[in-house]
Amino acid sequence: MKSHLLPTYARADLAFERGEGAWLVSTAGERYLDFTAGVAVNVLGHAHPQLVAALTEQAQKIWHVSNLFRIPEAERLAERLCRESFADTVFFANSGAEALECSIKMARKFHAVQGRPERFRIVTFEGAFHGRTLATLAAGGQKKYLEGFGPVTEGFDQVAFGDFDAAKRAVGDATAAILIEPVMGEGGVRVVPPQFLKALRELCNQRGLLLMFDEVQTGVGRTGELFAYQRSGIVPDIMALAKALGGGFPVGACLATADAAQGMTAGTHGSTFGGNPLAMSVGNAVLDVVLARGFLENVRKMSLRLKQRLAELKDRFPSVIEEVRGEGLLLGLKAAVPNGDLVKELRAEKLLAVAAGDNVVRLLPPLIIGEAEVIEALGMIERACSRLASTASKEKAAV
Ligand SMILES: *Cc1c(COP(=O)(O)O)cnc(C)c1O
């Protein structure tokens, strides 16, 4: 059948009818264990009763009023996000890229309103992913995504991942900020060491720069802390959130200190849909669950279980898994075979996983998983590895 969807995605030939917790049921009636969670979005799994209740309740009251008026649900969500973080103020958007657009504009405006409009450049890191708008593509700096889309948006200086000296050298009189993912997600689940983040904080302090964290993938519990920066002992000035924040309802947010946000006065930025009552009600319900006692502890516990057993599988199948990476339930298997092959073998076992850069397969289960799902997933991974290992050894024997 010819599809009328713009063919920008390499989709698997698989569609789902419904979901229950960590499980998805395909239109063909098959059950899959979902370790994609809609790419780190469905933190509470599928059809979580509290999210369903929040959305349906709000749907019967009011959907959308625009930002011409106050939105009490948004005020409440902003207040809670600030209470749980370093931030004083929140701008709500509809996606990760939009949250970063706000962050980038805020950093530039911060310097402009202090009489230094020439400070607009932002230092970023190779392999980063910040979204698909023209500015966030320039920030990510990946050639394959920029090609053919005209002049690259000015103002981003990219340095090698983990190279502090290069970052320091890249800072000049025109630098406004440094932007980094505390754990690089799309780039291959590469964890940035806390010492590196601390060094960036010091550099920003010395040079009067803003430190911006892209926590679109790591934020709201994914790493076992509410925010990944909380592992580092330092705080950013600006932070972008999205994916998990709405548990599947589209929403993004730019959080900032009052100082960093000083230039963002009435009229300087906006969004028609941003912070609408549906998204805000669901966001508040996500926080109700994630902030409940024991929730993040479960994430850390399941992470440890998975990591220990995955390390064993790596030792048993070195021709398939080269390395196990990640924090919390943002886990990566650096594959010794093409990562797409491993994703396919896992899918044959009815386990859904996501490919990432650096030949990595991401395991992104919903944060509600328990012991039973972990055991089931490990069995599936073991069988997939075993099949791939025997193919690899046959190929070797044939050469
Ligand atoms: C997904 C992602 C984005 C982009 O989010 P969209 O909602 O697709 O615009 C930006 N940064 C990071 C770290 C992401 O993982």
Side-chain angles (χ1 to χ4, degrees), residues 39 94-98 100 129-133 181 183 185-186 214-218 242-243 251 362:
V39 195
N94 311 288
S95 67
E98 282 179 76
L100 279 143
F129 182 78
H130 299 300
R132 300 280 202 142
T133 61
E181 297 160 80
V183 180
E186 310 294 317
D214 179 348
E215 291 226 26
V216 168
Q217 189 152 158
T218 53
K243 292 191 164 89
V251 60
R362 268 177 296 175

Side-chain angles (χ1 to χ4, degrees), residues 218-372:
T218 53
V220 195
R222 179 57 57 187
T223 65
E225 303 288 340
L226 189 59
F227 305 113
Y229 81 78
Q230 291 167 325
R231 298 179 305 115
S232 68
I234 55 114
V235 298
D237 301 294
I238 300 174
M239 171 170 76
L241 296 178
K243 292 191 164 89
L245 185 57
F249 199 96
V251 60
C254 169
L255 280 67
T257 63
D259 185 45
Q262 64 182 269
M264 304 303 280
T265 51
T268 54
H269 194 49
S271 163
T272 299
F273 293 120
N276 104 2
L278 292 172
M280 296 297 100
S281 295
V282 178
N284 275 306
V286 168
L287 279 194
D288 288 342
V289 179
V290 172
L291 293 176
R293 189 193 297 260
F295 185 90
L296 292 173
E297 207 177 287
N298 179 66
V299 175
R300 294 192 286 266
K301 213 162 107 187
M302 293 306 122
S303 168
L304 203 64
R305 290 271 196 293
L306 272 167
K307 271 183 158 174
Q308 283 169 343
R309 292 289 315 283
L310 289 171
E312 287 169 28
L313 292 179
K314 181 201 80 155
D315 292 341
R316 268 180 59 200
F317 302 109
S319 65
V320 183
I321 303 175
E322 208 173 288
E323 193 190 327
V324 179
R325 305 171 170 174
E327 289 285 341
L329 292 174
L330 173 46
L331 296 175
L333 304 177
K334 181 159 166 72
V337 295
N339 57 353
D341 292 358
L342 182 51
V343 168
K344 269 196 201 125
E345 285 301 336
L346 292 172
R347 199 187 302 142
E349 288 293 331
K350 304 281 188 287
L351 179 68
L352 302 173
V354 200
D358 202 24
N359 205 38
V360 163
V361 172
R362 268 177 296 175
L363 301 176
L364 302 167
L367 306 184
I368 49 141
I369 54 160
E371 207 85 54

Side-chain angles (χ1 to χ4, degrees), residues 95-108:
S95 67
E98 282 179 76
L100 279 143
E101 287 276 339
C102 179
S103 308
I104 293 163
K105 287 175 73 176
M106 185 183 283
R108 290 179 172 189

Side-chain angles (χ1 to χ4, degrees), residues 181-237:
E181 297 160 80
V183 180
M184 201 177 257
E186 310 294 317
V189 191
R190 289 193 276 173
V191 178
V192 180
Q195 315 86 270
F196 190 84
L197 297 175
K198 277 195 185 125
L200 290 182
R201 178 71 272 176
E202 273 165 35
L203 178 60
C204 286
N205 292 351
Q206 284 163 8
R207 305 293 299 267
L209 311 176
L210 296 176
L211 181 60
M212 309 202 285
F213 282 177
D214 179 348
E215 291 226 26
V216 168
Q217 189 152 158
T218 53
V220 195
R222 179 57 57 187
T223 65
E225 303 288 340
L226 189 59
F227 305 113
Y229 81 78
Q230 291 167 325
R231 298 179 305 115
S232 68
I234 55 114
V235 298
D237 301 294

Side-chain angles (χ1 to χ4, degrees), residues 85-117:
S85 74
F86 67 92
D88 302 308
T89 183
V90 182
F91 178 86
F92 287 112
N94 311 288
S95 67
E98 282 179 76
L100 279 143
E101 287 276 339
C102 179
S103 308
I104 293 163
K105 287 175 73 176
M106 185 183 283
R108 290 179 172 189
K109 198 76 165 178
F110 169 81
H111 293 287
V113 295
Q114 292 178 77
R116 296 186 302 262

